[in-house]
Amino acid sequence: MKKINAFSLAGIKVVILIGSILPVASAQKVPQFGKSTLKEVIGTMTLEEKARMLVGTGWLIDVPDSILRKTGGVNPFAPKPDGDTTFSSMIKKAQRMIPGAAGTTSELARLGIFPTVFANGPSGISISATRKDDKNTYHCTAFPIGTLLASTWDKELVRQVGEAYGNEELEYGVDIALGPGMNIQRNPLCGRNYEYFSEDPFVTGKIGAAIVNGIQSQGVGASVKHFAANNQETNRTTVNAVISERALREIYLEGFRIAIEESHPWTVMSSYNKINGTYTSENYDLLTKVLRNDWGFKGYVMTDWYAGLDIVSQVKAGNDLIMPGSPQQCKKIADAVKSGKLEESTLDLNIERILNIVLKSPRLSSYAFSNKPDLVTHAKIARKAAAEGMVLLKNDNSTLPLTSGIKNLALFGNGSYEVVTGGSGSGYVQEAYSISPEAGLQNAGYKSDNDISISYVNYIKQERSKKQRNYLAEIFGMRESVPEMNISSDMAEGFSKTNDAAIITICKNTGEGQDRKIDFDFNLTAQERSLIETVSSAFHAKNKKVIVVLNIGGVIETASWRSIPDAILLAWQPGQEAGNSIADIISGKVNPSGKLTITFPLSYSDVPSAKNFPSTITPPKVVYEEGIFVGYRYYNTFGIKTAYEFGYGLSYTNFKYSNLKLSATSFRDKIIVKVDIKNTGNVAGKEVVQLYLSAPANNMYKPESELKGFEKTKLLQPGESQTISFILDKRNLASFDTSITSWIAESGKYTVKIGTSSTNYKLFSSFDLNKELLVKKETKALTPAESITELKPDEKNKKP
Ligand code: BGC
């Protein structure tokens, strides 16, 4: 590691200054962070200093001159120092550290404690790409969105994305990435679903652990967020999520548990919402009983920005760091100790947890970050991951990959020219460039119709010029979508004569702060539908193919129009290399192997949480009446047909599943499951092998089956086979029994189902558990204050 660092230099300066004022003997006794024990360092702090350590240095939004001119040079987002000169100098310093970062921990130079920097994720590091009076650029790689990464079902690849991401963090001087986002995609309309992985906690936990392990392998930290049940943006800072203990443990907490146990993230970010009446950041049950006592979490918890109301409860709950922080909050903490509302020992405990992580910072050893991460190599990783996570939804008559005779493409849809690389809000990344589908297809040797291209580029420019520029919207990527241009039948017919095939890209932005709407978003707009119809009818009349590319951040309705085009490629929001990855699939350079991690329902009304989302009652409250029946657990248990089921995705080849073997017929500590997968088609490809388990329902009702294992094969050449192994342990058999606050594996027959999706099972086998097992006793916590009428698969509503 290279040495020179502003902080160590600053630290030395302060020590010299103190040394010149204090007698030499006492100066030598001042413990120093990193050299003395934390107990000694904390023991030396004054109450005011302790309070400061628990509070961040304000929101570090990088305010442009255009705003500063209006405010007389005052950053309107910075906390008011209120005469606290130490705080105001910390703010100034923090703002100079990494422009565009989200915040920092506090500095205490007297004791050698330096600030550490947070920058948003989760699809790449979010910092300002340019800096005042600096010709250099600080671009970060826009990796694919969380949902796409999960759709790769490839833990190793996601780990590699994490490594690249963590390396950018390290080289730009960021200590902790505020991500990954690990909330369950409870409802397809949640505005931030794009940041999250899945409707399923097992996929969420495994993919989350993979990315955290990748990031932290670089010697920097991650913050898994938003803990927990932050499943909607509507009223996100006030909503009370009323959830049963079982649904919490099995669905909403389980992904976090897996990631905490398998990747030990440095930090956890609590969420904005309440769970069962208490803000998560003020929730001792959640942050201490569950997170620390039950799961053994050793890092620290930070609030989401401005979350919660009562700082004293936050400190007591074990929400160690209050973000973004203000001098007023420091004062409140110190006053609470003076008035006896808070024990000073609680402050000490929280500070120790924060400083234990600060000790891991590259800043401790004065790492001289280069500001020059290898963006070229990282772009290649982004391109690979994007292609591996795209899901081929439809491919009639092998429309894709395009055959060699097809070269001239008519590219329709705004998204063909202005791709959406990621969602908006804090997760927006300032990448150096983005590759549109048009550019990507051209890079792959296709010719795009120039007349169509010019019309779209001019149209988009003209529409954009009608909108006023909004700086905040720009730095958070809140680009309003431009309505689709009207393509008349005559125009479409003309283009169908001169082109070999048509590709229509439907693009949609989504993001933080608001949920999506059913009309014009979940359902296609009238213009989008007419574009698909008009283009398809013209091209089909000439026996030419039409492909729809979905450049979207969340689930949309497909059932009413999917029969029209020949192929549908779900590209999600694929990051900066978007067009190249799309072209890789379309050309057949990459055989699609992505699978859905969230169900596409036939219509929105089929969604189990539809009647409880997002709720408009006052005070805001949402009762999770669907209980554990989220996503495929609901559709499969209650026999509801879907458009595309969880786990679904097509390939250009076929796979044969055979030779399913279990290591035993009766369960003791574990069962090893093996299955052979053979590529029986003509091109090389990868398959995602999914293991679902049906458990006996003696005292507890169970979903039809649940995902308990998944592996992606290597690239199998035609005729090549691979044996895939899974280990089922006790935990995989257990459900949460609220009456005894324990994970219980009920006795009876367990059916192993190996499938290509959650409904397409290829092989079955079973084993017995002779005696009920108490797998783990947990702490009683998070009990709802009101009774919840939860959905249950009783005889009446369970369809055969
Ligand atoms: C978001 C977090 C983000 C934080 C800091 C909040 O509004 O909910 O995900 O990390 O801001 O920017």
Side-chain angles (χ1 to χ4, degrees):
M1 285 198 177
K2 291 167 268 174
K3 307 246 174 179
I4 60 136
N5 191 298
F7 307 109
S8 55
L9 289 179
I12 290 163
K13 267 189 216 148
V14 174
V15 172
I16 291 167
L17 188 72
I18 292 166
S20 59
I21 299 166
L22 299 174
V24 174
S26 66
Q28 280 167 349
K29 275 190 201 146
V30 176
Q32 285 299 296
F33 182 66
K35 298 194 180 92
S36 320
T37 65
L38 286 185
K39 291 254 173 309
E40 286 165 344
V41 172
I42 296 167
T44 316
M45 291 178 189
T46 64
L47 176 59
E48 279 65 29
E49 286 171 336
K50 286 183 181 180
R52 218 178 280 292
M53 294 316 298
L54 297 183
V55 171
T57 59
W59 193 25
L60 299 189
I61 187 166
D62 193 19
V63 182
D65 290 341
S66 55
I67 293 189
L68 291 177
R69 273 196 294 275
K70 288 186 201 144
T71 58
V74 178
N75 179 344
F77 302 101
K80 310 274 166 289
D82 270 0
D84 185 334
T85 49
T86 314
F87 206 99
S88 59
S89 68
M90 277 196 324
I91 299 172
K92 278 194 198 121
K93 179 167 184 176
Q95 274 167 347
R96 281 195 307 268
M97 282 177 81
I98 314 291
T104 76
T105 51
S106 290
E107 177 178 24
L108 185 44
R110 181 175 81 81
L111 302 177
I113 300 173
F114 49 84
T116 51
V117 179
F118 308 137
N120 269 304
S123 302
I125 301 298
S126 181
I127 57 173
S128 300
T130 53
R131 296 178 185 174
K132 278 174 208 140
D133 308 321
D134 184 344
K135 307 189 293 303
N136 298 313
T137 53
Y138 300 82
H139 292 290
C140 296
T141 305
F143 294 101
I145 58 169
T147 314
L148 185 150
L149 289 180
S151 309
T152 66
W153 298 66
D154 187 335
K155 290 163 266 186
E156 181 43 38
L157 180 60
V158 173
R159 187 192 153 90
Q160 286 167 21
V161 170
E163 282 167 6
Y165 179 135
N167 180 263
E168 291 188 18
E169 208 181 317
L170 177 72
E171 293 306 338
Y172 278 133
V174 173
D175 294 279
I176 293 179
L178 302 178
M182 295 200 46
N183 295 102
I184 291 294
Q185 294 168 334
R186 170 177 178 250
N187 184 291
L189 299 186
C190 171
R192 289 186 92 171
N193 272 354
Y194 82 91
E195 296 184 59
Y196 307 145
F197 297 125
S198 175
E199 67 188 19
D200 175 78
F202 188 78
V203 176
T204 298
K206 295 288 174 182
I207 296 292
I211 199 154
V212 171
N213 278 323
I215 292 173
Q216 296 194 166
S217 71
Q218 303 299 300
V220 287
S223 187
V224 299
K225 69 186 186 184
H226 311 88
F227 190 57
N230 185 176
N231 305 112
Q232 65 180 59
E233 290 297 288
T234 309
N235 297 321
R236 66 174 177 165
T237 57
T238 47
V239 69
N240 179 21
V242 178
I243 317 175
S244 71
E245 286 171 57
R246 180 171 178 193
L248 273 169
R249 294 278 184 169
E250 290 188 15
I251 307 290
Y252 297 99
L253 301 180
E254 182 62 1
F256 285 102
R257 179 194 69 80
I258 295 171
I260 301 278
E261 292 184 358
E262 296 185 7
S263 64
H264 312 288
W266 289 12
T267 71
V268 166
M269 184 191 290
S270 52
S271 55
Y272 282 126
N273 53 290
K274 298 173 186 169
I275 295 180
N276 294 333
T278 308
Y279 276 112
T280 59
S281 60
E282 300 172 9
N283 206 317
Y284 184 83
D285 274 17
L286 182 71
L287 304 184
T288 297
K289 289 187 189 171
V290 173
L291 180 65
R292 294 192 161 99
N293 300 351
D294 288 346
W295 302 349
F297 174 64
K298 295 279 183 284
Y300 71 82
V301 178
M302 67 175 88
T303 59
D304 198 344
W305 271 225
Y306 307 101
L309 281 181
D310 180 15
I311 197 163
V312 173
S313 305
Q314 289 176 325
V315 175
K316 280 186 182 165
N319 197 120
D320 312 287
L321 182 66
I322 314 299
M323 290 305 293
S326 69
Q328 296 73 15
Q329 288 175 317
C330 299
K331 190 165 177 311
K332 273 191 191 155
I333 294 176
D335 287 350
V337 174
K338 285 181 200 150
S339 67
K341 280 198 211 142
L342 254 181
E343 296 285 339
E344 195 162 341
S345 58
T346 310
L347 272 54
D348 294 351
L349 179 66
N350 293 8
I351 295 170
E352 190 174 340
R353 290 195 289 234
I354 296 171
L355 292 184
N356 254 321
I357 296 297
V358 177
L359 277 176
K360 297 184 176 197
S361 161
R363 290 195 153 78
L364 184 74
S365 53
S366 306
Y367 182 68
F369 45 92
S370 65
N371 281 323
K372 298 252 171 305
D374 184 354
L375 296 179
V376 174
T377 302
H378 297 173
K380 288 186 187 145
I381 296 172
R383 175 174 180 168
K384 180 171 182 213
E388 295 265 332
M390 291 180 185
V391 184
L392 185 61
L393 296 178
K394 175 177 177 178
N395 196 21
D396 278 5
N397 303 316
S398 300
T399 299
L400 293 176
L402 294 180
T403 50
S404 53
I406 299 183
K407 282 288 164 219
N408 296 319
L409 300 176
L411 303 181
F412 297 96
N414 300 330
S416 294
Y417 305 91
E418 199 187 67
V419 70
V420 181
T421 56
S424 63
S426 55
Y428 180 66
V429 179
Q430 298 188 26
E431 68 257 30
Y433 62 87
S434 60
I435 306 285
S436 66
E438 182 191 36
L441 287 160
Q442 284 172 345
N443 291 344
Y446 295 97
K447 207 171 154 307
S448 91
D449 188 303
N450 208 28
D451 291 342
I452 310 180
S453 174
I454 292 171
S455 311
Y456 269 101
V457 172
N458 288 341
Y459 167 76
I460 295 169
K461 205 159 144 200
Q462 196 186 356
E463 288 297 306
R464 291 244 172 270
S465 68
K466 292 182 192 158
K467 312 235 153 82
Q468 255 204 327
R469 282 193 72 176
N470 173 338
Y471 178 76
L472 278 184
E474 278 173 33
I475 59 169
F476 290 119
M478 294 181 224
R479 198 172 52 177
E480 258 182 71
S481 56
V482 168
E484 283 300 341
M485 182 164 78
N486 179 40
I487 301 286
S488 69
S489 309
D490 286 352
M491 281 160 83
E493 207 216 319
F495 293 131
S496 71
K497 286 185 196 148
T498 48
N499 290 288
D500 304 324
I503 298 181
I504 307 167
T505 305
I506 300 291
C507 68
K508 287 172 190 283
N509 203 347
T510 158
E512 186 172 346
Q514 54 182 337
D515 292 311
R516 296 168 55 217
K517 303 274 176 295
I518 301 175
D519 291 334
F520 317 119
D521 189 349
F522 179 79
N523 294 332
L524 292 187
T525 64
Q527 293 100 320
E528 288 164 343
R529 184 177 291 269
S530 124
L531 180 65
I532 295 174
E533 284 165 353
T534 314
V535 170
S536 299
S537 93
F539 278 74
H540 286 164
K542 304 245 163 2
N543 252 328
K544 293 179 179 173
K545 306 283 190 196
V546 177
I547 298 123
V548 169
V549 173
L550 296 176
N551 174 207
I552 54 181
V555 169
I556 63 167
E557 187 274 336
T558 54
S560 67
W561 59 267
R562 63 179 164 169
S563 61
I564 306 172
D566 304 278
I568 305 173
L569 175 65
L570 172 59
W572 290 120
Q573 292 169 343
Q576 67 184 44
E577 286 286 324
N580 285 333
S581 311
I582 290 169
D584 286 343
I585 300 281
I586 287 182
S587 66
K589 186 174 171 199
V590 174
N591 186 348
S593 59
K595 305 267 185 173
L596 294 179
T597 57
I598 180 168
T599 308
F600 275 54
L602 281 173
S603 77
Y604 179 71
S605 57
D606 287 340
V607 173
S609 55
K611 70 181 166 78
N612 290 306
F613 183 96
S615 170
T616 45
I617 57 171
T618 314
K621 177 172 103 166
V622 176
V623 183
Y624 287 35
E625 288 182 311
E626 71 282 2
I628 60 167
F629 293 104
V630 177
Y632 70 90
R633 285 171 171 74
Y634 168 74
Y635 300 110
N636 294 351
T637 308
F638 293 86
I640 310 293
K641 285 209 165 49
T642 62
Y644 299 108
E645 74 274 11
F646 176 87
Y648 172 87
L650 300 174
S651 165
Y652 296 155
T653 188
N654 297 309
F655 297 96
K656 184 168 166 257
Y657 286 58
S658 66
N659 222 5
L660 172 61
K661 282 198 190 119
L662 271 51
S663 60
T665 50
S666 175
F667 188 89
R668 293 225 171 148
D669 291 334
K670 61 176 186 224
I671 294 260
I672 297 167
V673 179
K674 289 195 172 165
V675 60
D676 290 345
I677 311 298
K678 183 175 182 183
N679 181 349
T680 55
N682 299 323
V683 287
K686 296 180 183 175
E687 173 69 321
V688 175
V689 187
Q690 303 164 38
L691 187 158
Y692 295 87
L693 192 67
S694 296
N698 306 340
N699 301 320
M700 282 183 276
Y701 54 82
K702 305 281 166 72
E704 182 268 332
S705 57
E706 294 178 281
L707 184 81
K708 296 294 175 184
F710 63 89
E711 292 297 334
K712 199 164 194 173
T713 65
K714 62 182 184 186
L715 184 71
L716 293 173
Q717 296 303 322
E720 196 182 0
S721 296
Q722 187 181 353
T723 303
I724 296 291
S725 307
F726 302 96
I727 298 177
L728 288 174
D729 62 17
K730 289 184 204 164
R731 186 106 213 180
N732 298 132
L733 273 53
S735 301
F736 190 76
D737 185 340
T738 308
S739 65
I740 49 171
T741 318
S742 300
W743 290 92
I744 298 291
E746 292 190 305
S747 62
K749 182 174 158 191
Y750 286 77
T751 306
V752 174
K753 303 170 176 179
I754 302 291
T756 67
S757 79
S758 59
T759 57
N760 192 2
Y761 304 130
K762 296 287 183 190
L763 299 169
F764 298 82
S765 189
S766 63
F767 60 87
D768 288 313
L769 177 66
N770 298 330
K771 205 166 151 274
E772 179 172 295
L773 287 179
L774 190 156
V775 175
K776 187 161 185 263
K777 174 105 187 112
E778 306 283 27
T779 315
K780 187 79 181 159
L782 300 164
T783 309
E786 60 190 88
S787 72
I788 306 170
T789 316
E790 270 190 323
L791 184 62
K792 291 186 182 67
D794 58 26
E795 289 318 308
K796 203 165 83 226
N797 58 16
K798 183 177 177 181
K799 300 207 183 122

